[in-house]
Amino acid sequence: FRYGDVADMARALSETARDKMILAAQEIITTVGLAGFSVDQVARSSGVAKTTIYRHFASGDELLLAAIDGMVDQLTTPATGSFRSDLREVVNAFLAVADSLAMRQLFVALISRSMFDQGFAALYRAKRDERHAPIRRVLQRGIARGDVDPEIDIDLAVYLVEGPFLSKRLVENESFRPSEIDAIIDLLVAALAPRSSRAN
């Protein structure tokens, strides 16, 4: 074997082990929830040694969140050419995930744990910030087009966009009619518009 062949083989084995541990972690999360999750259980279910797991993930929490991340379709940034349409696409993608009862239950469990575990909360916040990226980019493009007030606090605006949909779909566990989504989007567009256009 050449050195490059050995290195390629090692990488392939490493990726195979990672796939096994992620799949095992997802099965545990789906079957018993966060309360039953542990690195020991992942090692037993996957057949991957704990030492190998910790070479891929610094902690069980990192493995847990990576497994959950893989259970959710990655949100992409829409590019419809319209701020309102981009916003609608982002909301549609969020609601598609939230339509799953298992995902809603998992979200509640993650929030609950974050309230009592500061280390976990920091890791979860970083993952949440990654998932906010498409909304942030939609807002930034809206500013560039002149559809969004350039002086807004984008971090606060992200919460404004998410808020109504989190409240009704996850907190109240109720679905949206398309007309309700459109009405909320209209309110968001008006609230985020440049101050000069709001004054008119």
Side-chain angles (χ1 to χ4, degrees):
F1 286 107
R2 292 172 299 177
Y3 176 79
D5 294 331
V6 174
D8 287 343
M9 185 180 298
R11 278 194 294 272
L13 290 172
S14 179
E15 286 304 312
T16 298
R18 181 185 173 90
D19 290 343
K20 286 181 178 179
M21 65 183 81
I22 289 290
L23 287 172
Q26 290 172 343
E27 179 66 24
I28 293 165
I29 293 165
T30 301
T31 305
V32 298
L34 269 60
F37 180 89
S38 70
V39 172
D40 285 337
Q41 185 61 41
V42 173
R44 284 193 294 270
S45 298
S46 66
V48 177
K50 285 175 63 177
T51 51
T52 301
I53 292 174
Y54 283 119
R55 280 201 293 270
H56 286 263
F57 300 98
S59 67
D61 287 343
E62 283 193 8
L63 170 57
L64 171 68
L65 291 172
I68 292 172
D69 205 39
M71 295 165 68
V72 181
D73 289 338
Q74 297 299 308
L75 300 180
T76 58
T77 305
T80 66
S82 159
F83 173 60
R84 188 190 187 287
S85 296
D86 283 353
L87 209 54
R88 187 64 152 84
E89 289 295 314
V90 166
V91 168
N92 286 345
F94 165 76
L95 291 176
V97 174
D99 275 343
S100 163
L101 176 60
M103 286 295 104
R104 296 201 301 278
Q105 291 173 327
L106 187 54
F107 177 82
V108 171
L110 290 169
I111 292 297
S112 177
R113 182 168 174 188
S114 294
M115 291 179 180
F116 302 102
D117 184 334
Q118 292 303 309
F120 181 81
L123 291 172
Y124 178 60
R125 191 178 305 115
K127 284 292 183 183
R128 187 195 63 202
D129 288 345
E130 288 177 16
R131 291 201 161 269
H132 281 168
I135 302 177
R136 294 178 64 88
R137 286 193 285 268
V138 165
L139 290 166
Q140 289 164 346
R141 288 177 182 175
I143 291 173
R145 291 193 193 104
D147 296 324
V148 175
D149 190 336
E151 297 183 6
I152 65 163
D153 183 317
I154 288 183
D155 291 328
L156 291 179
V158 168
Y159 289 118
L160 178 65
V161 171
E162 281 192 337
F165 304 101
L166 284 172
S167 177
K168 184 166 183 176
R169 194 69 189 97
L170 298 177
V171 178
E172 298 180 15
N173 197 31
E174 293 187 10
S175 299
F176 281 92
R177 296 191 303 274
S179 60
E180 292 177 319
I181 299 173
D182 287 332
I184 293 173
I185 295 293
D186 287 340
L187 290 171
L188 290 171
V189 169
L192 294 167
R195 295 180 185 180
S196 57
S197 62
R198 277 181 278 166
N200 294 331

